Amino acid sequence: MIPRRRFIAVIATCAVSSVACKREPRCAHCGMKLDPTSSWTTELRGGSPEKYDTPRCALTAWRRGRASTTGVKVVEYYDRAPRDGAEVSFVVGSDVLGPMGPDAVPVAKDRADRFVKDHGGRKLGLDDLTLHVLEELK
């Protein structure tokens, strides 16, 4: 027969273990828990789409060769609508911070000049976001 205290300890351990084993979606680059409501979530499209917590994480993984992609899907800063990465400008060096700090902020091309005027930084195209540029954001 199991003593009562030991029985309660076993039950409590099982309860904690089942909660701890719950798998939350995480950034494929840094491992940060993904917030489904975040306007920073970025996706690299390819064989199997991978989600990232920020454009900086997604583009860094891509530029380092850790992920292959046929395109980048970002959320535009102002209207929070999903856009193809080739359709937006990325502003680096602004005063707008992402969940992990400085980031490449995706802004519609027709709003990018106004964003730079309001928040500083410089606008770049997707092809201009080299690994060197992304690493300078940290």
Side-chain angles (χ1 to χ4, degrees):
M1 189 149 100
I2 299 175
R4 184 176 182 163
R5 285 186 182 174
R6 182 175 283 172
F7 176 75
I8 291 171
V10 168
I11 296 299
T13 302
C14 289
V16 169
S17 295
S18 67
V19 171
C21 290
K22 188 176 182 181
R23 302 295 287 180
E24 302 274 340
R26 299 210 171 257
C27 175
H29 178 69
C30 72
M32 183 172 154
K33 187 171 99 173
L34 292 175
D35 177 359
T37 63
S38 173
S39 57
W40 292 92
T41 302
T42 304
E43 183 179 301
L44 290 181
R45 291 176 281 179
S48 60
E50 291 186 317
K51 294 203 181 237
Y52 297 84
D53 59 340
T54 65
R56 185 180 77 193
C57 276
L59 296 169
T60 299
W62 178 33
R63 295 298 189 206
R64 286 188 177 158
R66 294 184 184 156
S68 60
T69 184
T70 58
V72 179
K73 182 175 148 189
V74 296
V75 178
E76 200 273 337
Y77 179 78
Y78 286 108
D79 65 15
R80 305 292 194 232
R83 304 268 179 98
D84 186 273
E87 297 175 1
V88 298
S89 292
F90 290 89
V91 180
V92 297
S94 74
D95 62 3
V96 174
L97 300 177
M100 300 282 288
D103 215 308
V105 183
V107 181
K109 289 180 179 183
D110 61 336
R111 296 178 175 166
D113 289 330
R114 178 64 183 190
F115 181 92
V116 169
K117 183 178 178 186
D118 292 345
H119 300 284
R122 61 188 168 119
K123 62 182 183 174
L124 301 170
L126 182 60
D127 293 336
D128 300 322
L129 289 169
T130 63
L131 187 56
H132 178 72
V133 170
L134 294 165
E135 288 176 346
E136 283 181 339
L137 292 175
K138 296 178 181 178

